[in-house]
Amino acid sequence: MSTHLGAEFDETIAHGPDPYEFYARARVEQPVFYSHRFDLWFITRHDHVVRVLLDPTGFSSEDRSIKPKRWPPRVAAVMASKRHAKHLGNTDPPAHTRLRQVLNQAFLPTVVAGYAPLIREVADDLLDRLAGPEVDLLNEYCYPLPLIVILRVIGVPLDDLDRCMRWCRDKSTLDFAAETLNEDEQLRAAESSVAFVDYCDNLVRQRQHAPLDDLISRLLKTRVKGHPPLSGPEVADLLPLLIFAGHETTANLLGNLLWQLLSTGHWDRLVTDPDLLEAAVEEGLRYDTPALGFVRRALQDTTIAHVRIPAGSRVFLLFGSANRDPARWSEPERFGFPRDRASGHLALGQGIHFCVGAPLARLETRIGLDRLLRRQPTLRLTDPVTEPERRVHLVLRTLRRLPAHWDQKLSRLNGGGAA
């Protein structure tokens, strides 16, 4: 087995600010490589990633986390007490089919379109709160916007926003970046993950007793022909992923896209021609993919790019690499829009696990950018040259901060309220 790229793929690349040069090398030199460090086979080319995504009978989604083989005893004890939640991301058919059909009803295009006034309301309220002269666009706008929206859609009290954000961060790090934590940090994240499950259980019990006009109540009463209704625990199992995926990908997309737009001059193009917004969002998804990839497990021996992958092995589908494959796009390392075959990117998956909330994520991003363009057409980064620091994460590609100059007077003039 040739593993020279796998041996190089350590945290400085996997979690570094720019992994794309390495991905470009891999697509040419070793499009499928094995990493002992992560115990994963990494798939880098667009056509190979699509092949796996479209083959749920050959590749399972049931074991998608990237966790240590052995937890420290204190952490293992907490993890053993945690119910293994079944949701869209970690189930295969037929269980996945049943869950998907229920959730599809909640994210129909007509339903999602109805959330546009809510998204605008939340966006404007957040922008009204930004006082300047310098703001952190990522943490003061990009993250709270989709989080507030998804909490209101689901029916989670906004008083619990900070707790939900902390639980999501802990769950994500525990599932996909546990090697970056020391034992005490792993223990705290494990306890946080258990608390998140308990919270969701309690929320569902409340809705069973007293339904409201929210997604939890609708999931409890949705009926799909040929399938029994979801039980309370089954609905509760869906909530952590809906809360996490319902804001994390969109927040990362908004942050990454704003960095690209503002650091390359494309922001001014959108100010002049806002009809390019949809194309800009698709290019943001392709060029700086908010989720760099996910795991599948091979159910039988298989060969990809002349490399034999044994049954039982786990593969990591590098969406971030596939989305810059020159076999799919011309000049893939260039950020620019509109672009031919723009919707062919894999940022939101493909096949049966295509992101159920994709229409909502796209709508939130378009409206979030539109409100910023209207309120702050002269928006500028504090430092447009130095790329901001990113969080240490194999799966998520996200900034830590995005400082920008904010003109409070201009914001009020273009539709804002009082500071």
Side-chain angles (χ1 to χ4, degrees):
M1 173 195 323
S2 177
T3 59
H4 73 280
L5 287 185
E8 290 183 36
F9 196 64
D10 62 10
E11 64 276 3
T12 62
I13 295 174
H15 305 309
D18 184 9
Y20 293 109
E21 182 179 349
F22 179 89
Y23 296 162
R25 277 184 57 208
R27 287 192 300 269
V28 174
E29 297 177 20
Q30 202 174 357
V32 176
F33 66 87
Y34 176 76
S35 166
H36 284 284
R37 185 189 191 294
F38 294 103
D39 190 23
L40 292 168
W41 293 85
F42 287 86
I43 315 296
T44 65
R45 289 181 181 170
H46 187 279
D47 58 341
H48 297 150
V49 172
V50 169
R51 171 186 159 186
V52 175
L53 288 174
L54 297 182
D55 184 12
T57 60
F59 295 88
S60 171
S61 297
E62 289 188 348
D63 185 17
R64 70 179 201 145
S65 61
I66 306 170
K67 297 176 180 176
K69 291 183 177 179
R70 289 186 179 85
W71 293 106
R74 293 188 302 157
V75 181
V78 175
M79 296 294 286
S81 71
K82 178 175 175 287
R83 183 175 75 239
H84 178 63
K86 293 287 188 180
H87 50 68
L88 281 185
N90 67 359
T91 51
D92 298 325
H96 175 271
T97 306
R98 173 172 170 250
L99 295 176
R100 182 79 191 206
Q101 289 180 347
V102 171
L103 280 171
N104 279 346
Q105 303 303 308
F107 292 96
L108 290 170
T110 53
V111 174
V112 171
Y115 294 136
L118 167 63
I119 299 168
R120 281 193 289 269
E121 172 195 331
V122 174
D124 280 332
D125 181 63
L126 289 169
L127 294 175
D128 287 345
R129 296 167 184 262
L130 297 181
E134 181 179 289
V135 298
D136 177 358
L137 289 174
L138 188 79
N139 293 297
E140 296 181 69
Y141 186 64
C142 299
Y143 261 93
L145 172 58
L147 180 56
I148 292 171
V149 170
I150 196 62
L151 292 186
R152 288 182 59 175
V153 167
I154 290 174
V156 178
L158 291 187
D159 288 345
D160 295 327
L161 184 147
D162 289 339
R163 285 203 294 173
C164 286
M165 181 176 286
R166 183 177 69 252
W167 285 332
C168 286
R169 288 281 176 90
D170 288 341
K171 171 180 169 52
S172 169
T173 306
L174 194 70
D175 285 350
F176 301 118
E179 84 284 351
T180 68
L181 306 176
N182 60 39
E183 182 176 336
D184 287 340
E185 291 169 334
Q186 287 181 354
L187 179 62
R188 186 188 64 77
E191 292 170 341
S192 174
S193 186
V194 171
F196 199 7
V197 172
D198 291 343
Y199 175 84
C200 292
D201 281 339
N202 185 55
L203 207 56
V204 170
R205 284 193 292 268
Q206 291 177 25
R207 294 300 182 274
Q208 287 176 313
H209 177 69
L212 297 175
D213 182 20
D214 58 27
L215 181 58
I216 297 175
S217 302
R218 287 193 289 276
L219 290 176
L220 287 168
K221 67 181 182 182
T222 297
R223 301 293 184 268
V224 175
K225 186 177 180 180
H227 296 288
L230 298 184
S231 66
E234 285 178 317
V235 172
D237 281 353
L238 295 173
L239 297 188
L241 180 68
L242 286 174
I243 295 170
F244 169 72
H247 84 277
E248 184 73 42
T249 300
T250 307
N252 294 343
L253 169 59
L254 260 173
N256 293 346
L257 182 52
L258 278 169
W259 160 250
Q260 296 299 333
L261 291 170
L262 290 165
S263 64
T264 59
H266 283 87
W267 179 260
D268 295 331
R269 287 184 66 208
L270 291 180
V271 171
T272 303
D273 187 0
D275 288 342
L276 289 172
L277 261 175
E278 185 173 349
V281 171
E282 294 308 308
E283 179 67 345
L285 283 163
R286 183 202 71 85
Y287 182 81
D288 211 1
T289 307
L292 285 172
F294 283 110
V295 172
R296 297 289 188 269
R297 180 168 54 85
L299 297 178
Q300 62 246 343
D301 291 353
T302 189
T303 300
I304 300 177
H306 308 292
V307 176
R308 179 181 173 275
I309 299 175
S313 300
R314 298 198 308 159
V315 301
F316 191 98
L317 307 177
L318 275 167
F319 298 164
S321 173
N323 285 342
R324 295 203 186 185
D325 191 338
R328 176 74 185 185
W329 292 279
S330 61
E331 299 183 275
E333 302 295 340
R334 176 183 63 85
F335 175 76
F337 55 88
R339 175 180 286 277
D340 290 340
R341 307 171 82 181
S343 61
H345 64 74
L346 305 176
L348 299 168
Q350 198 172 115
I352 67 168
H353 286 281
F354 180 76
C355 177
V356 70
L360 180 58
R362 286 178 161 122
L363 183 64
E364 287 173 321
T365 306
R366 289 198 301 270
I367 292 177
L369 286 175
D370 177 72
R371 300 314 298 158
L372 261 179
L373 285 165
R374 293 174 184 272
R375 300 277 294 268
Q376 291 287 323
T378 62
L379 186 67
R380 293 292 182 267
L381 295 174
T382 303
D383 181 355
V385 177
T386 306
E387 181 168 350
E389 182 184 0
R390 293 186 178 269
R391 283 166 52 196
V392 176
H393 211 291
L394 178 61
V395 172
L396 302 176
R397 182 156 172 82
T398 175
L399 303 171
R400 288 187 181 274
R401 299 178 69 248
L402 189 60
H405 292 300
W406 189 259
D407 188 330
Q408 187 66 37
K409 292 181 180 179
L410 188 62
S411 186
R412 291 177 183 172
L413 180 65
N414 291 334

